Structures are given as structure tokens and as C-alpha cells.
């Protein structure tokens, strides 16, 4: 299995509080991605990174920011959590290239009350 | 922009019966296509992918998918399912054919429920 961990695995928070989710990889892959999974929507890309300090938006980036200061870590921040951000968040990594497999982490279940 | 349609949200099937999970994508240009599987309370893992060449691709656990360019489809099939195949299956298309960025567009998923 690809070495990807996510922390925390579960979190309950209140509306308006900041939340940071962490993705850590030991594979030295260049690309890292954050998705959210919601019933009826499948997985939707929030942000991705193509190198240290290089990030770009996905299709559902509003309300989220990311940072990547090291190859192995990709942080997702909800500046002020809302109930609509209750979801399961998955991190993924790939070596890069449109044909490459993405390897997924175990997910973080976030509940915003 | 690319889109992926999985019309069946759930497919119930009896053990040892054949199954087909349908996937259609929007673009008529060259694409890379993927099927991922998600077992309960786990992340996704790659089941199989089509990049080029033979239109029929197979996985190690008996699934196969056929790329049909004229119908823009990539349906997943298995001739005889097992209880352990119960999972959610996601079809995905790469949004960056020929490029350096692999942004996947996922379908909404199909829950395969295998009953004894």
C-alpha cells in the first residue's frame, strides 16, 4: 500500500471555527490532491498541488485553502467551517501525468455542527 | 469540461451471477479512463484503467471493462460475482490527456450489493 496517512481520522467541530486537515505521504510523489466525498456527488476535487508551494484550485475550492511547504505534507484548511462542509475528505497522491494512478488515503470524516 | 455519468446508484445481484456497471463520459476526444473501488470505510483503490491499445482491459480479480469510443462508454463487467465484491465502484476520466496534470473527474458511484 502507498504510504499515505490522514489526520485526524474523525473530527467534530462547530460552525465558524477553523479546521486543518493533514495529509502525509512517504512516497515522494510530486502530486497531491484533496477531494470531498458526498452521497450523490461522488468525489469532487477541492485543490491539488504539483510541487512544493505550487497549488491550484479544483471544482469546489470555495471556503477552502491549502498549503504545501514540504513534499510530504499537504494541508487543507477550512477558515470558517460551515455545515455544508460536513463530508468525508480524501487525500490522494500520484507521480504525475494524466495516465498515472492516484493512491488514496483512508479519509477524514468531518462533521460541522 | 469532462463529465462522467453512472446511471445506476445501486445494483443488487445474487452471488455467482454476472454483473455490468455502466459508465458513460462526455468527451469524444482521446481520454484516459479508470475504475476505482471503495470497500466500506476505506479509501479508493484502482481496479483497472484504459490508456490506449486493446479496448478490453482486465483486473486481477476477474473484472473487465471495455472502452467504446463511438458510444463514449467504459462499462465494467464481471461474469460471476462474490460476496467480497460488495463495494462502491467509481468510474473516472482524466482531465489532462497527454498532459502532466492528472485531475480526475469522478462519476457519482455505483454500489454493488452482492446477496447470498
Amino acid at each position: 500500500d502507498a504510504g499515505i496517512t490522514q489526520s485526524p481520522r474523525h473530527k467534530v467541530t462547530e460552525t465558524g471555527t477553523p479546521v486543518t486537515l493533514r495529509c502525509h505521504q512517504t512516497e515522494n510523489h510530486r502530486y497531491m490532491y484533496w477531494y470531498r466525498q458526498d452521497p450523490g456527488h461522488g468525489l469532487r476535487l477541492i485543490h491539488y498541488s504539483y510541487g512544493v508551494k505550487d497549488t491550484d484550485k479544483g471544482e469546489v475550492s470555495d471556503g477552502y485553502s491549502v498549503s504545501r511547504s514540504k513534499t510530504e505534507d499537504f494541508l487543507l484548511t477550512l477558515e470558517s467551517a460551515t455545515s455544508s462542509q460536513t463530508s468525508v475528505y480524501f487525500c490522494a497522491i500520484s507521480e504525475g501525468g494524466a495516465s498515472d494512478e492516484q493512491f488514496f488515503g483512508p479519509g477524514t470524516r468531518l462533521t460541522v455542527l | 469540461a469532462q463529465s462522467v455519468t453512472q446511471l445506476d446508484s445501486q445494483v443488487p445481484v445474487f452471488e455467482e451471477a454476472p454483473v455490468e456497471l455502466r459508465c458513460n463520459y462526455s468527451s469524444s476526444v482521446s481520454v484516459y479512463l479508470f475504475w476505482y473501488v471503495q470497500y466500506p470505510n476505506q479509501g479508493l483503490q484502482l481496479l483497472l484503467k484504459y490508456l490506449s491499445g486493446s479496448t478490453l482491459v482486465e483486473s486481477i480479480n476477474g473484472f473487465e471493462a471495455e472502452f467504446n469510443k463511438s458510444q463514449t462508454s467504459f462499462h465494467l463487467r464481471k461474469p460471476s460475482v462474490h460476496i467480497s465484491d460488495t463495494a462502491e465502484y467509481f468510474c473516472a476520466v482524466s482531465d489532462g490527456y497527454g498532459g502532466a496534470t492528472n485531475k480526475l473527474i469522478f462519476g457519482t458511484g455505483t454500489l454493488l450489493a452482492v446477496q447470498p
Side-chain angles (χ1 to χ4, degrees):
Chain A
D1 290 343
I4 312 170
T5 56
Q6 293 184 232
S7 59
R9 294 292 314 280
H10 302 271
K11 185 171 183 65
V12 180
T13 191
E14 294 188 349
T15 298
T17 60
V19 176
T20 295
L21 308 182
R22 179 181 183 238
C23 177
H24 178 78
Q25 63 148 326
T26 57
E27 305 297 319
N28 201 36
H29 282 356
R30 179 181 175 190
Y31 287 83
M32 300 185 75
Y33 310 82
W34 276 108
Y35 294 91
R36 60 177 291 173
Q37 183 179 22
D38 303 289
H41 291 277
L43 275 80
R44 292 177 291 175
L45 182 65
I46 305 172
H47 283 279
Y48 68 99
S49 169
Y50 48 96
V52 173
K53 294 188 178 4
D54 294 321
T55 65
D56 204 351
K57 296 179 180 180
E59 63 174 303
V60 291
S61 59
D62 287 348
Y64 302 94
S65 62
V66 290
S67 65
R68 191 171 178 197
S69 58
K70 298 185 290 184
T71 298
E72 58 266 33
D73 289 325
F74 193 34
L75 304 180
L76 177 70
T77 298
L78 291 66
E79 301 291 347
S80 178
T82 67
S83 58
S84 64
Q85 294 175 311
T86 292
S87 187
V88 181
Y89 292 85
F90 286 98
C91 175
I93 64 174
S94 75
E95 292 187 81
S99 62
D100 287 341
E101 174 182 358
Q102 290 189 15
F103 299 92
F104 285 80
T108 294
R109 184 173 296 275
L110 176 66
T111 302
V112 184
L113 302 175
Chain B
Q2 292 276 9
S3 66
V4 177
T5 302
Q6 293 181 249
L7 285 175
D8 304 308
S9 60
Q10 290 192 49
V11 173
V13 63
F14 288 107
E15 194 172 19
E16 298 184 4
V19 70
E20 177 179 84
L21 307 183
R22 297 179 293 169
C23 172
N24 288 88
Y25 61 96
S26 61
S27 175
S28 61
V29 299
S30 298
V31 293
Y32 298 133
L33 294 159
F34 304 80
W35 275 100
Y36 282 81
V37 59
Q38 184 180 30
Y39 298 104
N41 298 313
Q42 295 185 25
L44 280 71
Q45 53 188 282
L46 182 69
L47 187 62
L48 47 76
K49 63 181 178 182
Y50 170 77
L51 303 181
S52 64
S54 172
T55 58
L56 188 66
V57 290
E58 298 177 350
S59 72
I60 59 173
N61 57 354
F63 283 92
E64 63 180 30
E66 185 163 17
F67 169 60
N68 188 318
K69 187 174 182 179
S70 63
Q71 298 186 5
T72 59
S73 68
F74 191 53
H75 300 331
L76 182 70
R77 302 183 183 95
K78 190 171 186 179
S80 176
V81 296
H82 303 288
I83 294 287
S84 59
D85 292 324
T86 294
E88 190 152 23
Y89 293 79
F90 292 92
C91 182
V93 60
S94 176
D95 200 28
Y97 180 84
T101 301
N102 184 4
K103 290 195 293 182
L104 292 177
I105 308 301
F106 284 89
T108 52
T110 298
L111 178 61
L112 176 62
V114 182
Q115 305 165 28

